[in-house]
Amino acid sequence: MNSFDSNDVSNRLDHVRIVMVNTTLPANIGSALRAMKTMGLSKLVLVAPKTYPHPDIDALAAGAQDLIEKIEIVETLEQAIQDCHLVFGTSARSRTIPWPLLDVRPAAKEALNAASKDQNIAIVFGREDRGLTNEELALANYHLTIPVNPDYGVLNVAQAIQVVCYELRMAAFEHHNQPNEIKNDHMQLKQQQSMQWDEPLVTQQQMEEFYPHFEKMLTEIEFLDPNNPRLLPLRLRRLFGRIQLDRMEYHLLRGVFSRVQALASGSWKKNIKEDQSHD
């Protein structure tokens, strides 16, 4: 066992939160806390847990009771990740539409690269019996999977959290041991390229304002049928989740949406005339 634990490693891991959605068994919450503390993580967010609080949580979190006091309870997944810049949704199977998928090890490295830029990261785990819904997975930038034995791919949620936390810790050590010249201020792009970046990335909460605006604009220009959207909203989420907008790009695109809406409604020329009348 490696007992080395620098402030640098701890600070990186402090940017990562574990999110558990609609957990049924309190014992899984306690076991998750124990797994987290063993690997140096401390932030657990519970989305509408079925039973909380419960004595089983205290019993299974033996030695990690201090983390119980830090648990955050929210009603929706959107609330749990609203200030996050990078979100991983855990999934054991393919869904209706393919999404950027990473095995747990490269996912952990991607998470720690983001943490090194002071970004907030969420790893989201679903229900014991059916995982995350398609709608919940659509909130993630990446889907994360653990490469288990295909003949017996059985992990309960607490075991999966233990594996992910271990990989996060190993990625934190790896990043800590990199030469300083490699750890300068670069943004890791989805194409595995690196370049200087001049604007902060937007949060998940901002993106949850972006998508409805985009879809409303597409509806107003009759490109999107709200009664039969098909897979278009999911494909838009996949596209922009993969790109990861920065603040300037975000405001630029929302400005374009507003201009298109004004042009479509005929109000843009009217606004110009009104502005000129005040000159």
Side-chain angles (χ1 to χ4, degrees):
M1 295 177 59
N2 191 340
S3 60
F4 171 74
D5 189 11
S6 70
N7 288 332
D8 181 68
V9 169
S10 297
N11 290 339
R12 297 289 179 260
L13 294 175
D14 282 344
H15 287 281
V16 183
R17 72 191 61 173
I18 300 297
V19 180
M20 299 177 72
V21 177
N22 292 158
T23 308
T24 299
L25 299 176
N28 281 330
I29 298 174
S31 296
L33 289 170
R34 196 169 175 179
M36 290 170 58
K37 184 161 186 178
T38 302
M39 296 300 155
L41 285 87
S42 61
K43 295 182 180 179
L44 177 64
V45 183
L46 301 178
V47 178
K50 300 294 184 182
T51 305
Y52 185 89
H54 193 277
D56 285 352
I57 297 176
D58 300 82
L60 271 296
Q65 282 88 351
D66 57 316
L67 299 193
I68 295 177
E69 300 174 2
K70 300 179 181 179
I71 291 176
E72 182 180 355
I73 309 292
V74 297
E75 288 301 313
T76 67
L77 179 55
E78 288 84 352
Q79 291 173 321
I81 62 176
Q82 64 181 357
D83 62 335
C84 291
H85 303 87
L86 189 60
V87 178
F88 296 85
T90 56
S91 177
R93 58 190 184 278
S94 61
R95 299 289 175 147
T96 303
I97 178 172
W99 214 264
L101 179 69
L102 287 177
D103 285 348
V104 60
R105 186 157 296 176
K109 292 180 180 179
E110 187 78 16
L112 266 294
N113 282 335
S116 70
K117 315 299 185 296
D118 291 330
Q119 296 176 31
N120 296 322
I121 300 97
I123 316 291
V124 184
F125 295 84
R127 302 152 189 83
E128 290 96 333
D129 58 344
R130 56 191 176 93
L132 296 168
T133 66
N134 288 336
E135 292 75 18
E136 289 163 345
L137 283 167
L139 297 175
N141 302 104
Y142 289 111
H143 293 174
L144 180 156
T145 188
I146 297 173
V148 296
N149 177 4
D151 296 326
Y152 189 74
V154 180
L155 280 177
N156 71 27
V157 65
Q159 291 172 326
I161 289 173
Q162 180 74 80
V163 172
V164 170
C165 290
Y166 169 80
E167 292 293 346
L168 287 166
R169 186 167 184 80
M170 293 303 98
F173 280 127
E174 181 178 326
H175 189 275
H176 173 78
N177 292 327
Q178 285 178 347
N180 287 333
E181 59 267 21
I182 298 179
K183 295 192 290 186
N184 53 13
D185 191 20
H186 286 66
M187 187 186 86
Q188 191 71 23
L189 298 181
K190 301 306 179 194
Q191 293 80 10
Q192 303 305 316
Q193 298 174 350
S194 186
M195 61 179 289
Q196 295 287 348
W197 212 253
D198 57 350
E199 290 286 336
L201 301 180
V202 298
T203 65
Q204 187 70 23
Q205 183 178 30
Q206 289 172 302
M207 290 307 294
E208 288 308 309
E209 298 169 0
F210 177 92
Y211 294 121
H213 191 182
F214 197 177
E215 292 173 24
K216 189 173 188 295
M217 182 268 290
L218 294 176
T219 299
E220 290 177 6
I221 64 174
E222 300 182 359
F223 187 88
L224 171 66
D225 180 359
N227 297 317
N228 186 26
R230 302 175 68 86
L231 293 176
L232 180 57
L234 276 178
R235 291 191 181 277
L236 292 175
R237 282 181 175 273
R238 182 178 68 173
L239 169 63
F240 286 98
R242 186 170 69 246
I243 293 173
Q244 233 184 334
L245 296 176
D246 70 22
R247 182 174 57 190
M248 187 68 70
E249 295 163 342
Y250 172 86
H251 289 298
L252 172 63
L253 285 172
R254 293 203 64 182
V256 171
F257 300 164
S258 296
R259 178 71 62 89
V260 171
Q261 288 175 297
L263 290 169
S265 66
S267 62
W268 176 249
K269 292 181 180 179
K270 179 181 177 182
N271 290 338
I272 292 178
K273 291 178 181 178
E274 290 178 351
D275 290 341
Q276 290 173 340
S277 67
H278 292 298
D279 290 342

